[in-house]
Amino acid sequence: MATIPSDQNVLKKDETYSLISADKVSGTDVYNTQGNQLGEVEDIMIDKLSGKVAYAVIAFGGFLGMGEQRRALPWSVLKYEPRRDGYVVGAADETLKDIPDIGEGAYADPEWGARIHQHFGVPPYWS
Amino acid sequence: MATIPSDQNVLKKDETYSLISADKVSGTDVYNTQGNQLGEVEDIMIDKLSGKVAYAVIAFGGFLGMGEQRRALPWSVLKYEPRRDGYVVGAADETLKDIPDIGEGAYADPEWGARIHQHFGVPPYWS
């Protein structure tokens, strides 16, 4: 996950101050790396303590035989692609087919949090 | 601004994994420290690079003779108060009356970003 260097001069201005509204993120399409539409962002989950976006809640539309289902993906897995005006999930189809479900109490369960980040091979948002 | 220690054991589990959805933040009431309702959260602005929430966009309702207006407040200025089911802005009325307006291009303007954080006496979200 990107950490903003304390010396702002190493980054271009438009990168440093690049903001997006949560309203605009919701409803944005989500694709796999081959450009197939997987679904759309339904909501985002924010860590109150750090103010970091933790998860994007994605409504999957049935691609890959997954059925219509809702999954929470680590925010760091989604990359915005302006050409598509959508997010691309950099994960193999096998990984996408097998995302741990949210389940009751998942967001309060550190083991679930660790598992979902491990599933995608990204460091947890709290690290 | 709070930084999550790498040793998770220093924090209670429910604090560490305390998440809130952006949908739920939007529409939440905002109060001053005296308990007067200032308005409500209209949207939140996310820094794409770091994944941090940068600003809460507040629709002010006319309290303090401000008129109905929209302002972006540094996220770190808002503290959630469960008793009120709302956010409290820890700032004096004089500070609230005089919040720099958003204006066109403000979110892309580092000087505006610095000014709005200075106004509230909090470190910028990118620090």
Side-chain angles (χ1 to χ4, degrees):
Chain A
M1 282 190 293
T3 307
I4 302 184
S6 55
D7 179 0
Q8 289 298 306
N9 296 325
V10 301
L11 291 169
K12 283 183 293 184
K13 173 176 148 182
D14 59 349
E15 282 178 351
T16 312
Y17 297 92
S18 181
L19 300 173
I20 191 166
S21 87
D23 263 5
K24 208 171 167 185
V25 173
S26 289
T28 301
D29 290 332
V30 177
Y31 300 90
N32 68 4
T33 52
Q34 288 85 50
N36 300 109
Q37 194 188 334
L38 300 172
E40 63 178 48
V41 181
E42 200 177 75
D43 201 356
I44 57 180
M45 301 297 297
I46 298 156
D47 179 53
K48 285 189 274 189
L49 194 62
S50 66
K52 286 191 86 166
V53 179
Y55 301 106
V57 181
I58 312 291
F60 286 92
F63 183 70
L64 300 173
M66 294 165 67
E68 296 188 7
Q69 52 189 25
R70 184 179 288 115
R71 290 288 183 274
L73 275 64
W75 177 251
S76 59
V77 169
L78 278 72
K79 303 291 170 222
Y80 184 71
E81 205 171 274
R83 191 170 55 91
R84 292 192 198 280
D85 188 26
Y87 292 95
V88 172
V89 179
D93 287 353
E94 293 72 47
T95 304
L96 292 168
K97 278 182 197 169
D98 196 27
I99 304 171
D101 63 13
I102 303 178
E104 203 174 338
Y107 293 131
D109 177 3
E111 287 178 26
W112 177 85
R115 195 160 69 244
I116 194 82
H117 286 85
Q118 276 163 15
H119 185 79
F120 286 97
V122 292
Y125 67 86
W126 60 82
S127 67
Chain B
M1 283 193 290
T3 308
I4 302 183
S6 56
D7 180 0
Q8 289 298 306
N9 297 323
V10 302
L11 290 170
K12 285 182 291 183
K13 173 176 148 182
D14 59 350
E15 284 179 348
T16 312
Y17 297 92
S18 181
L19 301 173
I20 191 166
S21 87
D23 264 4
K24 209 171 166 186
V25 173
S26 289
T28 302
D29 291 332
V30 177
Y31 300 89
N32 68 3
T33 52
Q34 288 85 50
N36 301 109
Q37 194 189 334
L38 299 172
E40 62 178 48
V41 181
E42 200 177 75
D43 202 355
I44 58 179
M45 301 298 297
I46 297 157
D47 179 54
K48 284 190 274 189
L49 193 62
S50 65
K52 288 191 85 165
V53 179
Y55 302 105
V57 182
I58 312 291
F60 286 92
F63 183 70
L64 300 172
M66 294 165 67
E68 296 188 8
Q69 53 190 26
R70 183 179 288 113
R71 291 288 184 273
L73 275 64
W75 178 250
S76 59
V77 170
L78 278 73
K79 303 292 171 223
Y80 184 71
E81 205 171 275
R83 191 170 55 90
R84 294 190 195 282
D85 189 27
Y87 291 95
V88 173
V89 179
D93 287 353
E94 293 72 48
T95 304
L96 291 168
K97 278 182 199 168
D98 195 28
I99 304 171
D101 63 15
I102 303 178
E104 203 174 340
Y107 293 131
D109 177 3
E111 288 178 26
W112 178 84
R115 195 160 68 243
I116 193 83
H117 285 86
Q118 276 164 14
H119 185 79
F120 286 97
V122 292
Y125 65 87
W126 59 81
S127 69

